[in-house]
Every structure is written in C-alpha cells, then in structure tokens.
Amino acid sequence: MFSFNTMRPRQVLTQVLNFALILSTAFMLWKGLSVAADSPSPIVVVLSGSMEPAFQRGDILLLWNRGRETQIGEVVVYNVKGKDIPIVHRVVRRFGGGDKALKLLTKGDNNLADDTELYARGQAYLDRSKDVIGSVVGYIPFVGYVTILLSEHPWLKTVMLGLMGLMVVIQRE
C-alpha cells in the first residue's frame, strides 16, 4: 500500500515539481500555438449542432488568424460582445475589404436564418479584425466530447484532476 510516510521529502518534492512541469509545459504549448496562429484561442470545440453536417458537436477545430481576407463560404469562429462562448459559423456575405474594414455576415449551416440575432445589440455584421478569433483550417472529429462532458458535469473535473494529481504523486521513478 502507498503511503506518504514511506516517501522521503526529496521524493515528494520531485513529484510535485514533475506535476508543475507538466502544467507549465501545457501552458507554454498553448501560448506558443496562440502566437503561431495569431489567435487567442487556436483550438476550439464545437458545442452545438448548428454547423452540421460540416462539423458535429464535440469536434475540435484548429484555427488560423493570419491572412485576413476571409472569403464567402469560409468557416470562422467569432466572439460576440458580452458573451464568452465562441460561435462557429460560415461566412455568407462580406462587405468592404482592401482599404476599408472587412465586415462579415455569418450563418450556421444547420440554421434557417443568418446570425444577426446572435450579434451584439445594434451590430448588423462582424468586424473581421475585432470579432473573429480565426478561420477553421482543420478539425479532429469527436475528440472534444471530453471538454463538453467536463463542462456539463463539473464534478468530473474534480475527479479527473484528482486522479491526475494522484498519478503524478504516486509514480515512482
């Protein structure tokens, strides 16, 4: 049976530092991806069925925000002022571009109407440089369901973090 009493202080410190190293590595990878993609959130999970059949709930989307000339038909991820959940929808109209600010109108593939009802009050279109997080350049099907489960069942977060911490502490190398 495992006991903290049988571990030397040096072993405990090593395990705690290993856990901190894992967390800091994950953070650095996220920040590196953010810089490379020029996006505050280079990876997002599809949370609803509004983009079916193109993307299913639980798909992980890879975003790129370099090269700002977004075209009609391109799938973008954007934030709405006052809401903290990003929305994944397709560009159906564009206005401006070049010297003028690029404005976009979006719509979910599985929705009947465009997104003007989802935008902030008084906003009729998205400003490409301010509202859009990035354009979708790839996806991994269904892997994001873990994220959905963790957000829908908060107690799972505690269990998962506890198990991860326990594994790091009791691992002996």
Side-chain angles (χ1 to χ4, degrees), residues 50-162:
S50 68
M51 280 302 292
E52 290 179 0
F55 301 113
Q56 308 293 320
R57 189 169 189 250
D59 289 353
I60 289 184
L61 304 180
L62 309 172
L63 306 182
W64 190 256
N65 201 28
R66 297 193 183 274
R68 307 236 178 191
E69 282 300 315
T70 304
Q71 302 300 318
I72 292 174
E74 196 171 317
V75 178
V76 296
V77 178
Y78 64 91
N79 273 333
V80 175
K81 293 173 188 101
K83 298 179 183 173
D84 57 347
I85 296 177
I87 298 172
V88 180
H89 282 170
R90 192 176 305 278
V91 175
V92 292
R93 290 189 74 193
R94 56 177 267 154
F95 312 92
D99 293 342
K100 294 182 178 181
L102 182 57
K103 308 292 184 184
L104 306 172
L105 180 64
T106 57
K107 176 186 172 295
D109 290 356
N110 204 19
N111 294 350
L112 297 175
D114 62 39
D115 291 349
T116 50
E117 293 295 320
L118 296 176
Y119 300 158
R121 176 170 280 195
Q123 186 178 10
Y125 45 79
L126 298 173
D127 184 326
R128 174 62 176 94
S129 62
K130 294 178 186 170
D131 300 320
V132 176
I133 298 172
S135 297
V136 176
V137 294
Y139 77 102
I140 305 169
F142 302 113
V143 177
Y145 254 109
V146 173
T147 303
I148 293 172
L149 286 173
L150 291 175
S151 65
E152 289 179 354
H153 306 287
W155 59 270
L156 275 176
K157 280 184 197 174
T158 307
V159 170
M160 249 179 99
L161 285 172

